[in-house]
Amino acid sequence: GQQLNQSPQSMFIQEGEDVSMNCTSSSIFNTWLWYKQDPGEGPVLLIALYKAGELTSNGRLTAQFGITRKDSFLNISASIPSDVGIYFCAGPSGSARQLTFGSGTQLTVLP
Amino acid sequence: KAGVTQTPRYLIKTRGQQVTLSCSPISGHRSVSWYQQTPGQGLQFLFEYFSETQRNKGNFPGRFSGRQFSNSRSEMNVSTLELGDSALYLCASSFGGVTYEQYFGPGTRLTVT
């Protein structure tokens, strides 16, 4: 089946810094979803990507397809403490409603 | 608009027992998907229901089952619990059409002893 690989596995950054993380797939995805999960909670949808070549933004978050559409990037600008959490990429596999998730990037923001 | 709700939030069961988890989707959403999250395997798709019919099923044994009611609320059942079933069980709802966005509930933390 399809697999999504996220990198890096974990990141430690200073408050105020920009962050970039990525996700790669073994096959082309026409849709990418980015989620954030806080401890003990369910994932929260951050951004949904549908159009290759376009940047999609949600506040300080920006995401885009990679050139091959087998990858996607999530950028966070001017990080703040509440950005701490695990960021997951996901894409539809098989049917539209079955999401395959990456293994996540654990983000820690240092004061 | 209220989000996805799941009950109970925490559950402790012993091996061999069965358990039923409940999920209420966002109002207007007709599709409910269930996922299992563990530290070792990450987030894995269990099954998806739309209009009371199971449309998709992941690679889990038959001990895992579910159903959906006419009001779109869904339940999942795990019979003959094993220690490896300890996990966070997440429910996600969506409109069920061509959109791919799924909105997750807070999950039910199941511990099997």
Side-chain angles (χ1 to χ4, degrees):
Chain A
Q2 293 167 320
Q3 292 188 346
L4 297 182
N5 298 304
Q6 283 188 252
S7 62
Q9 200 168 15
S10 62
M11 302 181 73
F12 293 82
I13 62 169
Q14 294 292 139
E15 184 176 352
E17 287 184 343
D18 297 343
V19 176
S20 184
M21 59 189 77
N22 80 308
C23 186
T24 59
S25 168
S26 55
S27 55
I28 292 174
F29 275 178
N30 292 315
T31 298
W32 287 94
L33 305 172
W34 284 92
Y35 287 86
K36 176 178 180 274
Q37 186 175 27
D38 292 329
E41 298 295 329
V44 173
L45 180 63
L46 300 174
I47 289 180
L49 291 174
Y50 288 99
K51 290 186 176 180
E54 288 189 0
L55 288 175
T56 301
S57 298
N58 179 7
R60 294 178 297 105
L61 278 60
T62 303
Q64 64 183 108
F65 282 83
I67 294 175
T68 65
R69 291 198 298 160
K70 289 185 178 181
D71 54 355
S72 176
F73 300 89
L74 176 69
N75 299 297
I76 305 173
S77 63
S79 58
I80 59 178
S82 61
D83 290 333
V84 167
I86 303 177
Y87 291 80
F88 291 98
C89 61
S93 64
S95 77
R97 268 69 56 186
Q98 180 174 339
L99 294 180
T100 296
F101 282 82
S103 54
T105 293
Q106 171 77 61
L107 178 64
T108 301
V109 180
L110 304 171
Chain B
K1 187 183 273 190
V4 178
T5 59
Q6 292 187 245
T7 57
R9 289 294 308 275
Y10 303 92
L11 207 49
I12 300 175
K13 292 286 188 178
T14 56
R15 277 180 298 176
Q17 288 186 314
Q18 74 163 12
V19 66
T20 299
L21 312 181
S22 181
C23 171
S24 292
I26 293 170
S27 177
H29 285 190
R30 297 171 63 191
S31 170
V32 173
S33 297
W34 289 89
Y35 294 84
Q36 181 196 66
Q37 187 176 31
T38 59
Q41 298 299 317
L43 275 151
Q44 292 188 291
F45 173 79
L46 280 157
F47 30 64
E48 184 244 355
Y49 285 87
F50 179 83
S51 292
E52 303 178 64
T53 301
Q54 186 182 88
R55 288 200 296 193
N56 301 286
K57 190 177 191 305
N59 189 25
F60 279 83
R63 299 185 298 107
F64 292 83
S65 63
R67 60 176 176 169
Q68 188 180 33
F69 302 95
S70 58
N71 61 358
S72 294
R73 190 177 70 84
S74 177
E75 290 181 345
M76 70 162 279
N77 183 277
V78 188
S79 62
T80 320
L81 284 165
E82 300 177 359
L83 294 179
D85 296 334
S86 294
L88 181 66
Y89 289 89
L90 293 159
C91 160
S93 78
S94 67
F95 284 108
V98 297
T99 58
Y100 298 96
E101 296 103 21
Q102 295 184 11
Y103 299 88
F104 284 83
T108 295
R109 172 71 63 185
L110 172 64
T111 301
V112 182
T113 63

